[in-house]
Each structure stands twice: as structure tokens, then as C-alpha cells.
Amino acid sequence: MMKSILYNLHKAFKSKRARAILLCLVSMFSLSAQTPRKDSGADGSDTIGQVLVGNKLPQDFWSRKVKIYNQGDTALVELSKYKGKSFLLDFWSTTCGTCISGMSDLIKIQKSFGKELNVLLVNSYGKLDTYQRIHKMPIDVLRTNDLSTVYADDYLIKLFPHRTFPFYVWVDQNGTVVAVTLKRLVEMENVETFIKYNRLYEKSN
């Protein structure tokens, strides 16, 4: 699939800038393109299976409700709220300094690409993070900015198990997982490239 996508991009772009974007995409997704595919449990079964790069999100993903923290308020929100745009999931922990320092970048990204991109933080069970612990973080980036986080999560962590933080999952607007990366690739230029890739892929189908 990735070769087909890159071929379509190559046909669509002729300029030097476009070729630079193409090269960026190759390097950006090379890590995750090596991940083997497997069944994601999207057949409607109760088993929550790991979703790998190239898989579509399970059929019930968008109907799932998760606990959301936003500027001190909490709500039970259906994930369908984030459907239809490019989607960036950031798995984090209150004990991860890199996670917290990187949130200011995500706020800028969200403001710059909000019409085409949804950004959602995910804080999972097992990290000893509670509402109180998140709300009392010494850095008030989540209390004063419109950046939402899932908390007390046990669903998303099963779809995307990992051992390091922060951990990012890149999903296109059709619900296909395009990449899983670490922090160094989450920057303005790469997000712009990701969105352009999604636009072109959608036009080619």
C-alpha cells in the first residue's frame, strides 16, 4: 500500500518542494512500514486486538466512549467526535518530562491545522495517573489550553500497546493507521506533510 501511495504522490507533484515532501514521507514512515500486519479484531468480536500500521481501526472504535479531561472539566465523550480528519494520538504520562514539554508543540500544531487535524492525548491506566494528579501538574499546559486528554484509559492502550513515552499514532481520515512514531517526528513540517499525504491519497481513490 505504501508504495502505491508514494507513487501517486510522485505523479501529483513535480516541483523541488514536492520532491522534498516525498522524501520526508519516506523517512517519516520507514520505521512503521516494517511492522507486519495482522488482524485487528475489526470483525466485531469482543476481543480487543492490537492495531498495527496498515490496519483500519476496529469497527466499534468511533462508538467507544472515553473519559476526557479538558481545562479542568471532565466528560464522557464518544470517539466519533474525532472522526473525519487526520488524527494524531499522543500517549503520555505525568512522570514523562518529554511528554509534558512537547505539549506546547501540540497546541501550536492543533491551532495551525485544526480544520484538518484532530489531536488527542491519551493517559492510560497503570501509570498511577488520576484526575487529581493530572489537574495538579506543576505545568498548567492542560488547565489553560484547549488540548484534551483521555484519562483512566484501558481501551486505547490495548489497541496500541507500547513501552516508551511519548508514543504517537498517526491515523488518516479514513481510519487507517499510517504510522507509529516517537517524539522527534512530531513537528510542524511533518504534520503538514501528513495532511498533504492524506489529501492526495483521498483524491487518488
Side-chain angles (χ1 to χ4, degrees), residues 89-92 120-124 149-150 153 156-157 165:
L89 291 163
D90 171 10
F91 290 80
W92 71 288
L120 182 63
L121 306 181
V122 182
N123 188 290
S124 301
T149 184
V150 176
D153 165 64
L156 295 171
I157 193 69
F165 290 97

Side-chain angles (χ1 to χ4, degrees), residues 165-183:
F165 290 97
F167 177 82
Y168 300 88
V169 179
W170 305 64
V171 182
D172 70 18
Q173 68 268 41
N174 298 312
T176 298
V177 177
V178 176
V180 291
T181 71
L182 302 180
K183 174 69 178 73

Side-chain angles (χ1 to χ4, degrees), residues 2 16 33 44 80 89 147 151 157 168 174 176 183 187 189 193 196-197 200:
M2 186 56 65
K16 289 182 179 179
S80 59
L89 291 163
L147 189 63
Y151 72 99
I157 193 69
Y168 300 88
N174 298 312
T176 298
K183 174 69 178 73
E187 54 186 35
E189 184 179 0
T193 299
K196 287 181 178 180
Y197 145 80
L200 288 169

Side-chain angles (χ1 to χ4, degrees), residues 134-154:
I134 293 172
H135 190 61
K136 292 179 180 179
M137 286 194 307
I139 300 176
D140 64 356
V141 64
L142 289 179
R143 291 194 297 273
T144 59
N145 291 281
D146 190 21
L147 189 63
S148 298
T149 184
V150 176
Y151 72 99
D153 165 64
D154 63 355

